[in-house]
């Protein structure tokens, strides 16, 4: 059992939890993830290690399915049944020169820890965070602190640049020499945004988020195609060379349980209504 | 149980009818009654030089425990087994006794061997019903041992080391201990409360089991080396895929994934449990081992029509004969001498294209080498494909241990007593041997635990 120390809402449908998990917090590095299971009936879901502080680890998630909705109802003092990690390979942080860390939506959660690590390694770090609108934007202050420069973009222009993070990235790499880029967000956003750096052949990492079960290389549920080879995102990744990833396949496999996920969420909301408790209806 | 034979007749396990059992996940075998067990025990010849013990990888004093059963001293029988093996309810169910103790039984030549496995299970179940007796442990030695993995090898090593008085910590990456006993073997062959009860004994012996701890990550390798000894029993958890076109389609599973979703995560009870598994009408399982049989039988229980595709002949199936028969009884269809060449579909699986296989000259394993027959391609409709073609050691931890030597297949190289190339680091089970059986892993782990114990005692004398 792992105690929730702090829990709260960061933006529209996006929540954060600080949970006490020393075995993860003490050893986690930028780019790694953990797997949680809320209770005895829960599924195992992977979430990025968004920050660590002593024995605490922060997770940030968007309430989309049953599990993340349930997770969003947890309060300080509640418990998460299982927290396993840190899992996956850490980000390859080197002294590259100038790095850009691009986050989209809930994917921004992964950015500050990478930006800090890249900066600590001596890089000049530029951050770009994008969201549908100002209401979905998270961690702006934290990113401003973690990066040398920060650009904000919203699809509707309600905050920062009016447009996509990809548009900002394009301008940045045209304006100066960029040596390494991380792009983290929904699969479609990573697909589109990584096309920006392809023509210049800039080293670009994406953090993939396929369906996982164990997260330790045991089941193969998270297999992805990278450079024409089958890789397990949980142990070979989650970060891969963006220009070699088959994003269409990733998105196809993410939809494997679309119907089941929908049914599970509906059932959860129905029960939450009947019991008159819990359940965010974002 | 009506299916049981009366006293005096040939004793058979109470096997539930296929039609009934295929609708649930309850155990297929109901086990022996006390009368049946005593009658079976009385068949034992109590050989002066028992060959059955030699057939047992963990060297249970088989004639002695059987004699106790004949005397109706069931708890005494349990005590004898547990001196050698702390997981008798597991072994009685999943060991391939026909090629081990029972295969060596002298009665096998004349009529049929004593049902040692059924007797072991009977005794273990009896003891559990009355409350398991925690085996005694020796005076604390003050030595600390890290055991990585809580499958058959890890549990066995932990038990032996705890018995010898060492302070044992087990690291398990999943949320439940038990390894393949929990995620791999379905409950109709091995009920999970049986596994839990036998694991609880270890806790009673003072073994600490840390779940959600991935060795090499949650506990760095340097911290492992700080223990007086390290035992690695991480198994063979890395699933192999066939590497044929269409493998990335939705609905293609490794047996590990499929079985984990159902056995460990209870996807059969979705949405009561949150983990889903695809609801398939027609399932193709590829492979012929015990894992393939398990996957096929689980898929049948989820209501699918199941075809098992295996590239060789029926007599070559590596699975236990009894499990093959049960799979057949439960309606699993066998497509033998066939091999998938491509999985069909767009986004989701719609079928499997197979090719007929011709049996040619014998290969190294003494089985005929199958080779594809040109132009014999045919298609099986399917909306799920489960690949059960084997698995290898998970390289996650091994890669991080500097200086440890491993083989071409990623298995840790060890001597007969489980010593690796690194002092104080031992390994046994599938991580050392490649995928094998529960009991072989336990046998190897027991040897390694004894070697660790000897090493730690010598250590103590030296200081």
């Amino acid at each position: 059992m792992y105690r929730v120390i702090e829990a709260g809402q960061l933006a529209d449908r996006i929540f954060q939890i600080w949970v006490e998990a020393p075995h993860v917090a003490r050893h986690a590095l930028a780019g790694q993830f953990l797997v949680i299971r809320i209770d005895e009936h829960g599924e195992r879901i992977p979430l990025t290690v968004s920050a660590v502080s002593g024995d605490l680890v922060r997770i940030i998630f968007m309430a989309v399915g049953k599990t993340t909705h349930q997770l969003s109802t947890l309060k300080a003092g509640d418990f998460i049944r299982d927290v396993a990690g840190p899992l996956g390979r850490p980000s390859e942080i080197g002294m590259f020169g100038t790095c850009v860390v691009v986050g989209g939506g809930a994917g921004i959660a992964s950015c500050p820890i990478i930006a800090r690590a890249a900066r600590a390694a001596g890089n000049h770090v530029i951050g770009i965070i994008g969201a549908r609108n100002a209401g979905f934007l998270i961690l702006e202050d934290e990113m401003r602190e973690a990066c040398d420069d920060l650009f904000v973009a919203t699809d509707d222009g309600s905050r920062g640049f009016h447009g996509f993070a990809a548009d900002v990235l394009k301008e940045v790499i045209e304006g100066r020499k960029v040596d390494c880029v991380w792009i983290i967000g929904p699969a479609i956003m990573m697909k589109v945004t990584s096309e920006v750096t392809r023509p210049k052949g800039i080293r670009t990492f994406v953090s993939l988020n396929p369906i996982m079960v164990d997260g330790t290389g045991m089941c193969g549920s998270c297999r992805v195609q990278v450079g024409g080879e089958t890789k397990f995102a949980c142990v070979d990744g989650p970060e891969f060379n963006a220009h070699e990833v088959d994003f269409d396949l990733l998105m196809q496999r993410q939809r494997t349980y679309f119907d089941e996920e929908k049914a599970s969420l509906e059932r959860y909301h129905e029960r939450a209504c009947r019991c008159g408790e819990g359940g965010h209806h974002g | 149980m009506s299916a049981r034979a009366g006293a005096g007749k040939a004793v058979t396990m109470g096997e539930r009818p296929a039609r009934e059992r295929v609708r649930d996940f309850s155990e297929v075998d109901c086990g022996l009654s006390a009368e049946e067990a005593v009658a079976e025990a009385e068949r034992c010849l109590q050989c002066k030089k028992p060959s059955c013990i030699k057939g047992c990888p963990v060297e249970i004093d088989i004639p002695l425990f059987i004699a106790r059963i004949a005397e109706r001293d069931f708890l005494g029988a349990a005590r004898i087994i547990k001196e050698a093996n702390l997981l008798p309810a597991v072994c009685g169910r999943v060991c391939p006794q026909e090629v081990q103790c029972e295969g060596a039984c002298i009665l096998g030549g004349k009529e049929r061997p004593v049902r040692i496995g059924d007797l072991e299970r009977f005794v273990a179940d009896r003891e559990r019903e009355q409350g398991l007796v925690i085996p005694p442990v020796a005076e604390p030695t003050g030595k600390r041992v890290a055991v990585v993995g809580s499958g058959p090898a890890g549990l066995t090593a932990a038990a032996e080391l705890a018995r010898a008085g060492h302070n044992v910590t087990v690291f398990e990456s999943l949320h439940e201990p038990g390894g393949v006993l929990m995620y791999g073997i379905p409950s109709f062959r091995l009920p999970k409360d049986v596994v839990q009860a036998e694991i609880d004994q270890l806790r009673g012996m003072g073994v600490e089991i840390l779940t959600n701890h991935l060795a090499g990550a949650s506990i760095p390798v340097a911290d492992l080396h700080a223990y007086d000894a390290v035992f690695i029993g991480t198994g063979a958890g890395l699933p192999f895929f066939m590497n044929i076109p269409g493998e990335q389609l939705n609905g293609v599973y490794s047996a590990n994934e499929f079985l984990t979703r159902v056995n460990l995560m209870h996807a059969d009870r979705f949405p009561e449990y949150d983990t889903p598994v695809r609801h398939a009408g027609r399932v193709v399982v590829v492979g012929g081992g015990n894992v393939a049989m398990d996957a096929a039988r689980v898929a049948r229980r989820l209501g699918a029509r199941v075809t098992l595709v295996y590239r060789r002949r029926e007599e070559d199936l590596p699975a236990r004969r009894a499990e093959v028969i049960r799979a057949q009884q439960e309606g699993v269809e066998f497509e033998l001498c066939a091999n998938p060449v491509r999985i069909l579909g767009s986004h989701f699986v719609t079928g499997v294209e197979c090719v007929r296989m011709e049996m040619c000259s014998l290969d190294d394993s003494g089985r005929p080498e199958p080779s594809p027959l040109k132009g014999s391609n045919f298609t099986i409709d399917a909306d799920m494909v489960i690949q059960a073609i084997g698995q290898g050691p998970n390289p996650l931890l091994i890669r991080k241990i500097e200086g440890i030597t491993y083989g071409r297949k990623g298995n840790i190289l060890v001597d007969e007593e489980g010593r690796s190339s690194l002092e104080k680091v031992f390994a046994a089970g599938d991580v050392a041997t490649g995928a094998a059986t529960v009991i072989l892993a336990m046998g190897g782990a027991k040897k390694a635990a004894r070697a660790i114990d000897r090493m730690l005692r010598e250590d103590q004398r030296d200081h």
Side-chain angles (χ1 to χ4, degrees):
Chain A
M1 298 285 265
Y2 302 86
R3 186 192 295 274
V4 173
I5 301 300
E6 196 190 314
Q9 187 158 5
L10 292 181
D12 201 359
R13 283 200 288 159
I14 302 178
F15 300 81
Q16 71 164 349
I17 285 177
W18 282 94
V19 60
E20 193 171 23
H23 64 302
V24 182
R26 290 178 194 172
H27 309 296
L29 296 170
Q32 290 189 296
F33 65 98
L34 48 76
V35 161
I36 63 141
R37 190 177 69 127
I38 301 178
D39 57 31
E40 282 298 325
H41 287 232
E43 62 181 334
R44 295 171 64 94
I45 63 158
L47 292 164
T48 303
V49 172
S50 172
V52 293
S53 171
D55 286 347
L56 309 184
V57 51
R58 181 178 70 183
I59 50 177
I60 292 180
F61 52 93
M62 181 179 268
V64 278
K66 188 259 177 183
T67 298
T68 42
H69 272 90
Q70 186 184 351
L71 201 55
S72 73
T73 65
L74 295 189
K75 305 267 177 292
D78 289 343
F79 288 91
I80 296 176
R81 182 81 183 69
D82 298 291
V83 178
L87 302 172
R89 292 170 180 253
S91 305
E92 284 175 42
I93 307 279
M95 173 51 206
F96 298 117
T98 298
C99 298
V100 182
V101 182
V102 187
I108 300 170
S110 311
C111 294
I113 195 169
I114 294 175
R116 269 186 229 114
R119 209 170 173 195
N123 296 287
H124 180 84
V125 178
I126 299 167
I128 302 173
I129 56 174
R132 204 181 304 166
N133 59 52
F136 281 100
L137 204 61
I138 57 168
L139 305 184
E140 186 180 336
D141 293 343
E142 206 171 309
M143 275 299 276
R144 204 171 293 287
E145 214 179 293
C147 303
D148 293 292
D149 301 298
L150 180 73
F151 299 94
V152 176
T154 49
D155 299 359
D156 67 352
S158 52
R159 173 137 189 97
F161 175 81
H162 187 167
F164 298 123
D167 305 326
V168 180
L169 179 61
K170 203 173 210 164
E171 276 186 36
V172 169
I173 65 170
E174 266 158 26
R176 64 182 295 164
K177 183 173 174 291
V178 168
D179 304 286
C180 186
V181 175
W182 276 269
I183 303 168
I184 302 160
I188 184 69
M189 173 268 183
M190 293 193 284
K191 179 186 174 178
V192 171
T193 312
S194 61
E195 282 310 313
V196 172
T197 59
R198 191 193 292 274
K200 290 198 171 191
I202 301 170
R203 180 202 299 257
T204 304
F205 295 106
V206 283
S207 181
L208 303 188
N209 50 350
I211 296 168
M212 292 186 187
V213 184
D214 61 287
T216 63
M218 205 188 81
C219 82
S221 167
C222 67
R223 58 194 191 277
V224 290
Q225 287 283 310
V226 181
E229 278 180 53
T230 298
K231 301 277 185 191
F232 288 5
C234 66
V235 291
D236 301 320
E239 291 184 7
F240 292 101
N241 178 348
H243 300 142
E244 294 190 338
V245 170
D246 184 339
F247 285 103
D248 293 335
L249 181 66
L250 173 69
M251 288 185 271
Q252 171 207 306
R253 288 187 59 81
Q254 283 175 336
R255 285 190 294 267
T256 299
Y257 300 104
F258 184 82
D259 294 339
E260 287 84 356
E261 282 161 8
K262 200 167 148 235
S264 184
L265 182 61
E266 277 166 12
R267 180 174 177 272
Y268 174 72
H269 282 323
E270 265 170 38
R271 293 167 76 95
C273 289
R274 264 209 307 277
C275 300
E277 55 161 53
H280 285 265
H281 305 259
Chain B
M1 228 13 85
S2 58
R4 272 189 194 139
K9 282 212 249 160
V11 180
T12 50
M13 293 285 271
E15 190 168 295
R16 295 161 63 222
R19 239 184 344 207
E20 175 193 315
R21 68 189 193 230
V22 78
R23 287 200 292 263
D24 62 43
F25 281 82
S26 303
E27 207 166 6
V28 166
D29 276 328
C30 301
L32 299 176
S33 69
E35 301 320 310
E36 288 164 342
V38 170
E40 186 64 16
E42 283 168 348
R43 292 184 59 236
C44 175
L45 298 179
Q46 294 291 323
C47 302
K48 286 250 151 44
K49 289 183 183 165
S51 46
C52 51
I53 300 182
K54 290 197 196 104
C56 175
V58 293
E59 298 161 355
I60 295 171
D61 192 338
I62 294 166
L64 192 62
F65 97 75
I66 291 182
R68 291 282 183 279
I69 298 177
E71 295 157 13
R72 304 189 73 92
D73 177 9
F74 303 139
L75 296 185
R79 205 160 44 238
I80 289 159
I81 296 176
K82 279 165 67 176
E83 278 169 20
N85 172 14
L86 212 63
L87 307 173
V90 170
C91 290
R93 287 171 167 86
V94 303
C95 274
Q97 290 99 5
E98 61 279 8
V99 295
Q100 294 175 348
C101 52
E102 292 179 18
C105 176
I106 203 89
L107 280 177
K110 289 186 194 149
E111 29 179 326
R112 52 174 182 77
V114 174
R115 292 172 189 268
I116 301 167
D118 294 350
L119 290 175
E120 181 183 27
R121 171 186 163 179
F122 165 77
V123 163
D125 287 355
R126 260 303 159 112
E127 195 206 352
R128 194 176 60 256
E129 281 159 21
Q130 301 180 12
L132 291 179
V133 180
I134 307 294
V137 296
E139 281 294 303
T141 61
K143 297 287 183 185
R144 295 164 67 238
V145 184
V147 170
V148 183
S150 67
L155 292 175
T156 301
E160 293 304 316
L161 292 162
R163 219 196 284 267
H166 305 302
N167 184 342
V168 181
T169 306
V170 179
F171 298 100
E172 167 57 50
S173 67
L174 287 172
H175 55 267
E176 297 278 10
V180 73
L181 305 174
M182 289 303 288
Y183 75 75
I185 303 177
S187 54
F188 55 81
R189 279 215 295 138
L190 181 61
K192 298 310 154 210
D193 54 338
V194 169
V195 181
Q196 293 296 349
E198 296 202 329
I199 291 173
D200 283 342
Q201 292 182 102
L202 284 185
R203 293 197 175 99
M205 292 166 76
V207 172
E208 186 183 19
I209 303 178
L210 296 176
T211 54
N212 297 318
H213 277 63
L214 181 70
S218 322
I219 164 121
V221 170
D223 292 10
L224 287 176
H225 283 314
Y227 283 79
D228 297 303
V230 180
F231 174 86
I232 302 174
T234 46
L238 185 80
F240 296 150
F241 286 91
M242 296 186 74
N243 291 317
I244 56 174
E247 222 155 55
Q248 314 297 340
L249 289 168
N250 298 357
V252 180
Y253 290 80
S254 71
N256 267 5
E257 180 186 354
F258 177 69
L259 290 171
T260 300
R261 282 182 180 273
V262 178
N263 297 338
L264 183 71
M265 306 308 299
H266 310 293
D268 54 305
R269 289 162 71 183
F270 177 86
E272 182 195 342
Y273 283 80
D274 293 335
T275 303
V277 68
R278 246 179 91 61
H279 207 81
R282 286 209 58 172
V283 173
V284 166
V285 176
V286 185
N290 287 317
V291 176
M293 297 306 144
D294 284 344
R297 296 172 70 194
V298 167
R300 280 292 291 142
R301 281 162 175 76
L302 296 178
R305 182 175 164 194
V306 180
T307 306
L308 186 139
V309 177
Y310 177 58
R311 62 201 182 120
R312 300 180 209 249
R313 303 163 303 174
E314 178 161 355
E315 56 265 44
D316 302 317
L317 284 164
R320 286 181 81 184
R321 187 71 200 140
E323 302 304 329
V324 173
I325 291 168
R326 285 173 179 161
Q328 286 166 340
Q329 288 170 344
E330 289 168 9
V332 174
E333 297 162 38
F334 284 66
E335 192 67 71
L336 300 163
C337 300
N339 205 31
V341 291
R342 183 171 23 171
I343 300 170
L344 308 168
S346 65
H347 300 294
F348 284 89
V349 174
T350 56
V352 182
E353 185 183 325
C354 299
V355 64
R356 289 265 160 240
M357 302 298 275
E358 208 176 10
M359 297 304 121
C360 306
S361 55
L362 301 183
D363 68 6
D364 298 343
S365 67
R367 295 180 297 180
E369 184 66 50
S371 113
L373 244 170
K374 252 202 169 118
S376 66
N377 297 38
F378 64 101
T379 299
I380 307 172
D381 292 338
D383 40 17
M384 188 195 283
V385 177
I386 303 170
Q387 302 202 14
I389 57 162
Q391 55 270 333
N394 190 325
L396 219 51
L397 171 63
I398 305 169
R399 263 196 238 141
K400 288 183 181 162
I401 305 179
E402 222 169 292
I404 201 161
T405 53
Y406 47 88
R408 204 164 39 85
K409 291 178 177 167
N411 52 307
I412 299 179
L413 297 178
V414 295
D415 67 11
E416 316 85 79
E417 293 192 302
R419 277 181 207 85
S420 77
S421 56
L422 291 181
E423 213 196 333
K424 297 185 178 179
V425 179
F426 293 68
D430 285 0
V431 72
T433 59
T437 61
V438 166
I439 188 65
L440 286 177
M442 292 174 61
K446 198 168 164 178
K447 282 204 187 99
R450 281 185 190 149
I452 292 172
D453 180 47
R454 262 200 324 274
M455 178 187 82
L456 295 178
R457 280 176 200 287
E458 277 161 24
D459 227 35
Q460 215 160 27
R461 272 200 300 276
D462 292 347
H463 286 91

